Amino acid sequence: MELIKTAEEHIPLIKAIADEVWPKTFGDILSPAQIVYMMDMMYSEEAIKQQMNEWNHHYLLAKEGDDYLGYVSYETGYKGKPWTKVHKIYVLSTSQGKGVGRFLIDAVSAIAKEKGDTELSLNVNRYNKAIEFYKKVGFGIIGNEDIDIGNGFLMEDYIMNKKL
Ligand SMILES: CC(C)(COP(=O)(O)OP(=O)(O)OC[C@H]1O[C@@H](n2cnc3c(N)ncnc32)[C@H](O)[C@@H]1OP(=O)(O)O)[C@@H](O)C(=O)NCCC(=O)NCCS
């Protein structure tokens, strides 16, 4: 598997992966209205561009042959701490359970260590099956966080960290 460090030209590929995976992941967890709201706020091409250019989010794609199978976005030195925040990780439905997610977390871990960070941190919805994946790759729950994202919607998350 190949790791691609992305630029703006990759944004449509990133969005296509989110469009395929996101509604399937959250269809049983969130209302249709919240799914539309969050897709637009966090996963539109404009939102991804802003994350890359203004918010210091870096995106990596996993590629096999001609196919882009998944992506991860991260930010080192998150909020002035020696933590790398994993903002997003998504693997195409047909490629899940084949090691792509672990490959992406390993890649971010290596970059974070190089930058001198000592932990990875992320937020995950408290009802998301991905929690089991995160435990498998070395994360543990360190707290809860409910985030008001506007329009009457809440994100009900665990915070999970992994020591590097
Ligand atoms: C969560 C996700 C990124 C994991 O990536 P993946 O490529 O499917 O996971 P991997 O194949 O690398 O799995 C690594 C290990 O975790 C386990 N695992 C993965 N998903 C799991 C699940 N839902 N439940 C239990 N174990 C799981 C695998 O069995 C594997 O275990 P092993 O090392 O003992 O074989 C991916 O499934 C995904 O995109 N899910 C939907 C979107 C999502 O929820 N993203 C996270 C939002 S916070």
Side-chain angles (χ1 to χ4, degrees), residues 21 25-26 89-92 95-103 122-125 128-130 132-134 136-137:
V21 186
T25 306
F26 290 100
I89 179 164
Y90 290 97
V91 174
L92 286 176
S95 300
Q96 290 173 10
K98 297 176 183 170
V100 181
R102 187 186 285 278
F103 171 77
L122 57 81
N123 277 46
V124 57
N125 184 288
N128 190 340
K129 288 181 289 188
E132 295 312 310
F133 161 74
Y134 292 131
K136 274 275 171 93
V137 298

Side-chain angles (χ1 to χ4, degrees), residues 34 38 42 145-149 153-157:
Q34 183 162 351
M38 289 181 70
M42 300 179 196
E145 187 170 33
D146 288 343
I147 304 171
D148 185 340
I149 54 167
F153 297 127
L154 264 189
M155 295 204 302
E156 301 171 294
D157 291 346

Side-chain angles (χ1 to χ4, degrees), residues 2-7 10 59-63 68 103-104:
E2 201 184 336
L3 190 69
I4 309 290
K5 292 196 173 174
T6 63
H10 296 102
Y59 278 78
L60 302 172
L61 280 158
K63 187 179 184 196
Y68 293 89
F103 171 77
L104 290 169

Side-chain angles (χ1 to χ4, degrees), residues 4-15 45 49 52-53 61 68:
I4 309 290
K5 292 196 173 174
T6 63
E8 271 189 30
E9 71 198 60
H10 296 102
I11 289 177
L13 288 169
I14 295 166
K15 183 175 182 300
E45 293 201 11
K49 202 170 180 177
M52 282 182 172
N53 295 336
L61 280 158
Y68 293 89

